[in-house]
Every structure is written in structure tokens, then in C-alpha cells.
Amino acid sequence: MKRRSFQFPFLLMLFSLFLLQSCEKEEEKLSPEVQTVEITMLSPTTVILKGNIVNLGRIPIRDYGFVCGFTPDVNDKSGYKISLGEDAKVGPFTSGLTGLGEPTSFDYKRVLYVRTFIKNDNESFFGELLTVSLPSYHVQSVTPYKGKPGDRITITGKFHTSDINQVEASFANITAKVVEVAPTKIVVEVPSGITSGPLQIPIVLRLSGQSFLATNSFEAIPVLKDFFPKSGAIGTILTITGDNLPLSNSSFTSSESLKVYMGGVEVRVLKADFSVPGYQLEVPENLPADVVSIYVQMNGTRTQLPGHFTVTPHTITSISPASGLPGDNFKIFGSNFIIRPTYYNENISVEVGNMPVPLELVSATELTVHVPSGFPEGDHSVVVKSKLHAVEAPQKYRVFHPSITSFSPASGHIGQEVVINGTFLPDRLHTVEFGNASTAAISTSNSLRVQVPMGINAGKVSVKVKYGNWLAESEDEFTVLAPTITSFSPNTGTAGSVVTISGTGFRPDTPYIAMKFGTAEATILSVTETTIRAEIPSGITGSVKIIMEQNGQTVISNNNFTVTN
């Protein structure tokens, strides 16, 4: 009996231990379990992470994935989380991680810390902490250190890839062609289009999406190709083309300045900011010849461009007017006249009849020329000269002095129209003198139409034509006729009665006409060219002369008129 009582407590103890172990296993199944399996490095900036879910536990899962960083304390509150969501399943899972920081040229170990996690409604559970050392990019050398477009540049170092598709290169932000990629070598071609200057060109490599500087002191060798246009007038803008041309002299050192020469004459580069790639310059007026070569001095190297530049002569289309007097101006129309005359007109000059004449106005398409006083009469050639060309106008310029060959009629009363024939400047206002009285008229090329002016006494007077400082005088004289009184009717009359006076040379259109009977002024009622009707004035009696005054001329009747009471 005692033996049995001992066995029962022992069995009870074994049973209790069994129940306790079963409860612990049940509690373990209530919590999820996750493992960190492996970190696989694809590049210095990209890795593949592997994990495994052992069990999910009994509480719903809200998230799972990886947490990582460059310090060991990666957890819910520290590090970068890669969340894979709620759809967790027992078994392995993976995720990629890229952009692991900018690689530098310093060769030190960058350690990445990674652990898996799984989270339910209550808490987060983590797997083991794994690490991996990420290698850095490292540039050892860049050779050669300078080159022209198309030259191949070898960059040696540690690049951890042979995939050409993962490598990009640029020279001063200009994309370059990648020719070859190996873990320790990258070969690229110098691109065209570099305009930042030949010195201190940065070469930047981009591997696996990350950029780093290979060198900051590459020298881009400019390549000059050609220039256009190949011909043009003085003042034409030329463009010199090429590859990797620096924008201006600011891109060079003082000893390596950019200089352009045309026929040995240095030409200033116009601007540093080009809409058309290349150097622009203006053809100067002091070229030694009309066909010149062009060369560029750059980086201590002289390069002659292909072909030659031919200076196009200026042109003359017409002159206007085609004739004139000494002292007149005329215009020359054409193209490509040099529009920067000096004080002495060194760039362009004009000769009329092989005689230099002054320029008063210069433009690109029009010259105004002054014919000096005393210039000889005749038809003269007109030549416009530059330092390189002499171009003759297609027509002559006629210089003449005004002249009178005849006039008609040879006599007339004041107001009579007279046609004066001769040589005159057309469509100009001329002054015509009849004795000491003058009038004005617009000329044609060979005639003037004028009226005999007032203020001239009857008789012969000279006829002169003036224009400016020039005077032409007729060899013949013009006879100025005075008005005449031939008769009057009636011969007698009382004050207030009307008398008709007949004669010649009366002017019905002039206000300067008066009539007197003796000393008393009569009232004029009407005037025609041959008759005047006047009212006998009061205050006089007896026999008196009839006196007419017209345009300064006085006419007295031969016969007397009798005034009766």
C-alpha cells in the first residue's frame, strides 16, 4: 500500500509538467516568427534582401518586410522600412533596395544593416540582424587629360560593373558616348557642343543611377571647321563654326586669348552669347585686299580656315537728279556703301569727272554729293570709291550754267505772259528780272513762263534769270509797252455823267489803276483790255486832260475833255 501512495504523486507531477509544456507551445504559436535570410549585393548602390516567415501566429498580421540603415539600431523607430503589406504568408520573401547613398572617391567600407520584421495588432517582431559592406567607386586616373571631339578618354578605377547600360558620362553637362565598361576601366568619347571654355572641364560619371566626379580639370580642345558666308560687302557678319568652341575670351587665359585675323588684320569677336554656335565677327573696312584668308589664334595654335573670303563691291543703281548747277547736291543710290566715314571720309569717296567732291551724307544705300562752285560744265562720270573698289554709275551727271537763248513775244504790256527759252534746272523756282523789277516762275528743263512784272517804265529792259548764285542774261532786250488812250466818248459832259475811254494795254485784273480828269480823281466803273468806263468827277469845269495811272505807269490823253456845268 505504501508503494502505491508514492507512485500516485509522481504520476501527478509528470502530468502537470506535460500540461505546462503544452501551454508553452500553444503560447509560442500565438506569436509570429520571421527570419533574416540573406543580403545579396548587385552594385555599390543596389542590393537584394531575402527573408522567411516561419509562422504567422494567431493574431492578424498588419505589415511585414525589412528595416535597414547604416547603423546597427534598426527598428520601428530607426532606419528605413520596406513595407510589403498585410498579405503575409509563411515562407520566403524578397525585396530590392536601390539608391544606397552617393558613392564617394574615398575608399572606405560602407556597412548596411538589415533585419526582417513582421507586425500584428499588438507588436512588432524582428529577425536576425545581418550586415553587408558596400564598395565605393574610386577613380585612379583620367588619360589623356585633354582631347578634341571624338577622342577616346580612359578612366581607370573601381566601378564594380561591366554593364555598359548602367554607365553614363558627361563633359560640362554635355552627354558623352560610353564606348567600353569594365570593373576597373570606363572608356568614353569627348562630345561636341562644349562651350564653357577649354580649361577646367568637369567629367561626371553616373553609375547605377548615382553621379560622382571623375575629374574637374579636363581640357576640351576646340576644333575649328569653316566660316560662312564666303563673300560679302564690308560690314558683313561672318560666323566661324567648329566643335567645343569657347564662348569668349573670358574662357581663356591671357596668354591663350582668342584672336581672329582676316588678311592679317585682327578682327574683334562681336559677342560671347551666340544663338548660332560659333564666333561672329564683322568684315572690317581696312582689309588689304578684296580676297583674304582667315585664320584663328587659339590656345597658342594658329588655324587657317578653308577657302577665302571675297569682298563684294558696292553697287550704284542710279543718280538723281541727273543734272545740276555748280553748288547743287545730287544723290547716289545703290548698296553696300560703307556707313562709317571718318572725318576725312577715308572709307569712301566720290569723284565727278575725275574730280573729288565732298560727301554731305552717307548711308548704306544712299550718298548725298555736293558739286563745288566753279565746277565745269559738261557730262561727267560719277565714281564711288572704297579702299578696295571703284564703281562707276550707269549714267553721267550733267553740270551746266543757266542760259537764255530767246524769249517771246519781244514786247508787251505789264502782265503780258512771256516764254523764256534756254537751259534751266527743271522744276525749280527761278527768279526772272525785267529791268529793275522781278518775278518768279517754276521752270521746265528748257523754258520759263512769266508775266511782265509791275513797276517798270515803258521802254527796253534787260531780261535776266537767277538761280542761287548763278545769273543768266539774254542778249536781247524786252520792250515794255505803256498803256495808250486813243479816244474817248463823249468829248464833253457834266459831273456824274459816264465817259468811255478807248485804248490799249488796260489791265482789268489789277487793282493798281486810277483815272483823273485834270486834277480830280474819277470813279472807275469797269475795265476791259481796250476800254475804261469812268464817272466824271465834280469840282472841275472847262477843258482838261484825261490821265490814267496803271501799275506805276502814267498815260495822258492827247485831246482835252470839256467838263460843262
Side-chain angles (χ1 to χ4, degrees), residues 227 229-233 236 262 283 287 289-292 308-313 389:
F227 69 91
K230 295 291 185 180
S231 63
T236 297
M262 297 185 68
V283 178
L287 293 180
D290 56 359
V291 178
V292 295
H308 296 83
F309 180 81
T310 301
V311 181
T312 303
H389 303 100

PDB file of all heavy atoms in Angstrom, residues 227 229-233 236 262 283 287 289-292 308-313 389:
ATOM      1  N   PHE A 227      33.937  78.801 -92.118  1.00  0.00           N
ATOM      2  CA  PHE A 227      33.260  80.077 -91.890  1.00  0.00           C
ATOM      3  C   PHE A 227      32.259  80.297 -93.017  1.00  0.00           C
ATOM      4  O   PHE A 227      32.377  79.737 -94.105  1.00  0.00           O
ATOM      5  CB  PHE A 227      34.266  81.235 -91.831  1.00  0.00           C
ATOM      6  CG  PHE A 227      34.926  81.542 -93.156  1.00  0.00           C
ATOM      7  CD1 PHE A 227      34.385  82.479 -94.031  1.00  0.00           C
ATOM      8  CD2 PHE A 227      36.093  80.902 -93.528  1.00  0.00           C
ATOM      9  CE1 PHE A 227      34.990  82.750 -95.249  1.00  0.00           C
ATOM     10  CE2 PHE A 227      36.706  81.162 -94.748  1.00  0.00           C
ATOM     11  CZ  PHE A 227      36.156  82.092 -95.606  1.00  0.00           C
ATOM     12  N   PRO A 229      29.272  83.619 -94.436  1.00  0.00           N
ATOM     13  CA  PRO A 229      29.360  83.323 -95.864  1.00  0.00           C
ATOM     14  C   PRO A 229      30.792  83.495 -96.372  1.00  0.00           C
ATOM     15  O   PRO A 229      31.642  84.034 -95.666  1.00  0.00           O
ATOM     16  CB  PRO A 229      28.416  84.364 -96.475  1.00  0.00           C
ATOM     17  CG  PRO A 229      28.499  85.521 -95.550  1.00  0.00           C
ATOM     18  CD  PRO A 229      28.620  84.935 -94.172  1.00  0.00           C
ATOM     19  N   LYS A 230      31.008  83.043 -97.603  1.00  0.00           N
ATOM     20  CA  LYS A 230      32.336  83.124 -98.194  1.00  0.00           C
ATOM     21  C   LYS A 230      32.571  84.453 -98.905  1.00  0.00           C
ATOM     22  O   LYS A 230      33.702  84.733 -99.321  1.00  0.00           O
ATOM     23  CB  LYS A 230      32.545  81.975 -99.196  1.00  0.00           C
ATOM     24  CG  LYS A 230      32.533  80.595 -98.565  1.00  0.00           C
ATOM     25  CD  LYS A 230      33.759  80.362 -97.697  1.00  0.00           C
ATOM     26  CE  LYS A 230      33.810  78.937 -97.164  1.00  0.00           C
ATOM     27  NZ  LYS A 230      35.006  78.701 -96.325  1.00  0.00           N
ATOM     28  N   SER A 231      31.533  85.265 -99.062  1.00  0.00           N
ATOM     29  CA  SER A 231      31.689  86.561 -99.709  1.00  0.00           C
ATOM     30  C   SER A 231      30.653  87.518 -99.140  1.00  0.00           C
ATOM     31  O   SER A 231      29.636  87.105 -98.586  1.00  0.00           O
ATOM     32  CB  SER A 231      31.523  86.446-101.229  1.00  0.00           C
ATOM     33  OG  SER A 231      30.208  86.005-101.555  1.00  0.00           O
ATOM     34  N   GLY A 232      30.922  88.787 -99.280  1.00  0.00           N
ATOM     35  CA  GLY A 232      30.003  89.805 -98.789  1.00  0.00           C
ATOM     36  C   GLY A 232      30.673  91.165 -98.788  1.00  0.00           C
ATOM     37  O   GLY A 232      31.881  91.291 -99.035  1.00  0.00           O
ATOM     38  N   ALA A 233      29.876  92.189 -98.519  1.00  0.00           N
ATOM     39  CA  ALA A 233      30.385  93.546 -98.510  1.00  0.00           C
ATOM     40  C   ALA A 233      31.086  93.846 -97.190  1.00  0.00           C
ATOM     41  O   ALA A 233      31.012  93.078 -96.223  1.00  0.00           O
ATOM     42  CB  ALA A 233      29.237  94.526 -98.734  1.00  0.00           C
ATOM     43  N   THR A 236      29.765  92.932 -93.474  1.00  0.00           N
ATOM     44  CA  THR A 236      29.076  91.642 -93.412  1.00  0.00           C
ATOM     45  C   THR A 236      29.456  90.902 -92.118  1.00  0.00           C
ATOM     46  O   THR A 236      30.608  90.939 -91.682  1.00  0.00           O
ATOM     47  CB  THR A 236      29.455  90.777 -94.623  1.00  0.00           C
ATOM     48  OG1 THR A 236      29.001  91.430 -95.815  1.00  0.00           O
ATOM     49  CG2 THR A 236      28.802  89.396 -94.548  1.00  0.00           C
ATOM     50  N   MET A 262      41.805  88.526 -90.546  1.00  0.00           N
ATOM     51  CA  MET A 262      41.397  88.473 -91.954  1.00  0.00           C
ATOM     52  C   MET A 262      42.465  89.200 -92.761  1.00  0.00           C
ATOM     53  O   MET A 262      42.641  90.418 -92.600  1.00  0.00           O
ATOM     54  CB  MET A 262      40.030  89.130 -92.165  1.00  0.00           C
ATOM     55  CG  MET A 262      38.884  88.463 -91.444  1.00  0.00           C
ATOM     56  SD  MET A 262      37.279  89.209 -91.845  1.00  0.00           S
ATOM     57  CE  MET A 262      37.123  88.708 -93.585  1.00  0.00           C
ATOM     58  N   VAL A 283      33.164  92.086 -91.043  1.00  0.00           N
ATOM     59  CA  VAL A 283      34.227  92.329 -92.021  1.00  0.00           C
ATOM     60  C   VAL A 283      34.645  93.798 -91.922  1.00  0.00           C
ATOM     61  O   VAL A 283      33.821  94.697 -92.112  1.00  0.00           O
ATOM     62  CB  VAL A 283      33.744  92.002 -93.447  1.00  0.00           C
ATOM     63  CG1 VAL A 283      34.835  92.316 -94.459  1.00  0.00           C
ATOM     64  CG2 VAL A 283      33.336  90.535 -93.542  1.00  0.00           C
ATOM     65  N   LEU A 287      40.696  96.066 -94.827  1.00  0.00           N
ATOM     66  CA  LEU A 287      41.334  94.869 -95.366  1.00  0.00           C
ATOM     67  C   LEU A 287      42.346  95.261 -96.445  1.00  0.00           C
ATOM     68  O   LEU A 287      42.123  96.211 -97.201  1.00  0.00           O
ATOM     69  CB  LEU A 287      40.288  93.926 -95.950  1.00  0.00           C
ATOM     70  CG  LEU A 287      39.314  93.284 -94.957  1.00  0.00           C
ATOM     71  CD1 LEU A 287      38.335  92.382 -95.685  1.00  0.00           C
ATOM     72  CD2 LEU A 287      40.055  92.511 -93.884  1.00  0.00           C
ATOM     73  N   ALA A 289      43.160  93.594 -99.146  1.00  0.00           N
ATOM     74  CA  ALA A 289      42.795  93.135-100.487  1.00  0.00           C
ATOM     75  C   ALA A 289      41.342  92.682-100.473  1.00  0.00           C
ATOM     76  O   ALA A 289      40.726  92.551 -99.406  1.00  0.00           O
ATOM     77  CB  ALA A 289      43.712  91.980-100.927  1.00  0.00           C
ATOM     78  N   ASP A 290      40.796  92.460-101.665  1.00  0.00           N
ATOM     79  CA  ASP A 290      39.391  92.042-101.730  1.00  0.00           C
ATOM     80  C   ASP A 290      39.217  90.532-101.641  1.00  0.00           C
ATOM     81  O   ASP A 290      38.087  90.045-101.575  1.00  0.00           O
ATOM     82  CB  ASP A 290      38.720  92.575-103.000  1.00  0.00           C
ATOM     83  CG  ASP A 290      39.428  92.164-104.271  1.00  0.00           C
ATOM     84  OD1 ASP A 290      40.466  91.477-104.180  1.00  0.00           O
ATOM     85  OD2 ASP A 290      38.962  92.526-105.358  1.00  0.00           O
ATOM     86  N   VAL A 291      40.307  89.780-101.626  1.00  0.00           N
ATOM     87  CA  VAL A 291      40.253  88.337-101.380  1.00  0.00           C
ATOM     88  C   VAL A 291      41.273  88.047-100.271  1.00  0.00           C
ATOM     89  O   VAL A 291      42.474  88.282-100.456  1.00  0.00           O
ATOM     90  CB  VAL A 291      40.576  87.516-102.639  1.00  0.00           C
ATOM     91  CG1 VAL A 291      40.544  86.022-102.322  1.00  0.00           C
ATOM     92  CG2 VAL A 291      39.578  87.826-103.755  1.00  0.00           C
ATOM     93  N   VAL A 292      40.788  87.565 -99.141  1.00  0.00           N
ATOM     94  CA  VAL A 292      41.681  87.376 -97.992  1.00  0.00           C
ATOM     95  C   VAL A 292      41.430  86.007 -97.362  1.00  0.00           C
ATOM     96  O   VAL A 292      40.344  85.437 -97.474  1.00  0.00           O
ATOM     97  CB  VAL A 292      41.471  88.471 -96.923  1.00  0.00           C
ATOM     98  CG1 VAL A 292      41.855  89.833 -97.459  1.00  0.00           C
ATOM     99  CG2 VAL A 292      40.032  88.483 -96.430  1.00  0.00           C
ATOM    100  N   HIS A 308      38.669  81.193 -98.935  1.00  0.00           N
ATOM    101  CA  HIS A 308      38.967  82.603 -98.771  1.00  0.00           C
ATOM    102  C   HIS A 308      37.662  83.394 -98.706  1.00  0.00           C
ATOM    103  O   HIS A 308      36.620  82.921 -99.157  1.00  0.00           O
ATOM    104  CB  HIS A 308      39.820  83.128 -99.935  1.00  0.00           C
ATOM    105  CG  HIS A 308      41.176  82.509-100.020  1.00  0.00           C
ATOM    106  ND1 HIS A 308      41.388  81.283-100.647  1.00  0.00           N
ATOM    107  CD2 HIS A 308      42.394  82.929 -99.559  1.00  0.00           C
ATOM    108  CE1 HIS A 308      42.677  80.984-100.561  1.00  0.00           C
ATOM    109  NE2 HIS A 308      43.312  81.958 -99.915  1.00  0.00           N
ATOM    110  N   PHE A 309      37.780  84.594 -98.150  1.00  0.00           N
ATOM    111  CA  PHE A 309      36.625  85.499 -98.151  1.00  0.00           C
ATOM    112  C   PHE A 309      36.831  86.548 -99.238  1.00  0.00           C
ATOM    113  O   PHE A 309      37.906  87.146 -99.343  1.00  0.00           O
ATOM    114  CB  PHE A 309      36.458  86.186 -96.804  1.00  0.00           C
ATOM    115  CG  PHE A 309      35.277  87.113 -96.762  1.00  0.00           C
ATOM    116  CD1 PHE A 309      33.998  86.616 -96.547  1.00  0.00           C
ATOM    117  CD2 PHE A 309      35.436  88.480 -96.967  1.00  0.00           C
ATOM    118  CE1 PHE A 309      32.905  87.457 -96.534  1.00  0.00           C
ATOM    119  CE2 PHE A 309      34.348  89.323 -96.946  1.00  0.00           C
ATOM    120  CZ  PHE A 309      33.082  88.812 -96.736  1.00  0.00           C
ATOM    121  N   THR A 310      35.784  86.751-100.046  1.00  0.00           N
ATOM    122  CA  THR A 310      35.839  87.720-101.132  1.00  0.00           C
ATOM    123  C   THR A 310      34.945  88.907-100.796  1.00  0.00           C
ATOM    124  O   THR A 310      33.750  88.732-100.519  1.00  0.00           O
ATOM    125  CB  THR A 310      35.375  87.087-102.463  1.00  0.00           C
ATOM    126  OG1 THR A 310      36.216  85.966-102.760  1.00  0.00           O
ATOM    127  CG2 THR A 310      35.447  88.087-103.593  1.00  0.00           C
ATOM    128  N   VAL A 311      35.529  90.093-100.819  1.00  0.00           N
ATOM    129  CA  VAL A 311      34.774  91.315-100.525  1.00  0.00           C
ATOM    130  C   VAL A 311      33.957  91.702-101.762  1.00  0.00           C
ATOM    131  O   VAL A 311      34.516  91.895-102.845  1.00  0.00           O
ATOM    132  CB  VAL A 311      35.704  92.461-100.113  1.00  0.00           C
ATOM    133  CG1 VAL A 311      34.894  93.716 -99.800  1.00  0.00           C
ATOM    134  CG2 VAL A 311      36.546  92.056 -98.906  1.00  0.00           C
ATOM    135  N   THR A 312      32.654  91.794-101.592  1.00  0.00           N
ATOM    136  CA  THR A 312      31.762  92.172-102.685  1.00  0.00           C
ATOM    137  C   THR A 312      31.788  93.682-102.864  1.00  0.00           C
ATOM    138  O   THR A 312      31.632  94.427-101.891  1.00  0.00           O
ATOM    139  CB  THR A 312      30.324  91.714-102.390  1.00  0.00           C
ATOM    140  OG1 THR A 312      30.325  90.301-102.173  1.00  0.00           O
ATOM    141  CG2 THR A 312      29.392  92.058-103.533  1.00  0.00           C
ATOM    142  N   PRO A 313      31.978  94.181-104.113  1.00  0.00           N
ATOM    143  CA  PRO A 313      31.988  95.639-104.315  1.00  0.00           C
ATOM    144  C   PRO A 313      30.623  96.244-104.024  1.00  0.00           C
ATOM    145  O   PRO A 313      29.582  95.584-104.090  1.00  0.00           O
ATOM    146  CB  PRO A 313      32.344  95.788-105.800  1.00  0.00           C
ATOM    147  CG  PRO A 313      32.882  94.460-106.224  1.00  0.00           C
ATOM    148  CD  PRO A 313      32.228  93.438-105.354  1.00  0.00           C
ATOM    149  N   HIS A 389      37.579  99.033-104.017  1.00  0.00           N
ATOM    150  CA  HIS A 389      36.840  99.022-105.283  1.00  0.00           C
ATOM    151  C   HIS A 389      36.510 100.440-105.733  1.00  0.00           C
ATOM    152  O   HIS A 389      36.349 101.339-104.901  1.00  0.00           O
ATOM    153  CB  HIS A 389      35.536  98.226-105.151  1.00  0.00           C
ATOM    154  CG  HIS A 389      35.724  96.814-104.710  1.00  0.00           C
ATOM    155  ND1 HIS A 389      35.524  96.402-103.406  1.00  0.00           N
ATOM    156  CD2 HIS A 389      36.128  95.702-105.397  1.00  0.00           C
ATOM    157  CE1 HIS A 389      35.782  95.111-103.312  1.00  0.00           C
ATOM    158  NE2 HIS A 389      36.150  94.655-104.490  1.00  0.00           N
TER     159      HIS A 389
END
